[in-house]
Amino acid sequence: MDRKAVHEDIERTRATFHALLACATNEQLRRRSNGTLWTNRQLLFHMLLGFLIMRALLALARVVASLPDWVGRGWARLLNAVTKPFDAVNFAGSWLGGSVMPRSAMVVLFDRTTAALHRRLDREDDRGLARGMPYPTRWDPFFREFMTVADLYRFPVQHFDFHRDQLSLG
């Protein structure tokens, strides 16, 4: 894993997030995004959410990696089976968060979250980065059947970049 490249990608997304929120008018943020049912503001919150869930995903990967393989495979199958409820909660959470959270709070939360990811990545050793677990591939196009902790550090940037292209800020 190229840690420097991961740090740079995280910083690029942080700077982009700042710029998107700073330059967008309230009218642009209320506009429907491209290819989603969210407004641009709600989609920006969803992009933030991709970073927010990292702490939970990293902790989950460490726990599941220490269990027998069949536990992780069963967990991924269970999560795939409940994709529709997950999608509903994911949509509603992003809709609500993007509707009520002020821009300034979104920026502060993004900064705090990325700073925590930088610190955590700096503490990771190669053995820890190689641990992993099966993931529910129906939940996100960037989830693969098995993901290492190193893969997880790349996920929020991939998620961010994918959704950035769906913004209709003009």
Side-chain angles (χ1 to χ4, degrees), residues 139-154:
W139 280 33
D140 191 277
F142 300 106
F143 281 173
R144 295 190 315 271
E145 286 187 24
F146 186 88
M147 294 180 70
T148 64
V149 169
D151 295 329
L152 290 176
Y153 278 103
R154 293 181 193 99

Side-chain angles (χ1 to χ4, degrees), residues 79-91:
L79 293 179
N80 270 329
V82 296
T83 297
K84 286 188 185 216
F86 166 79
D87 287 344
V89 170
N90 186 31
F91 175 81

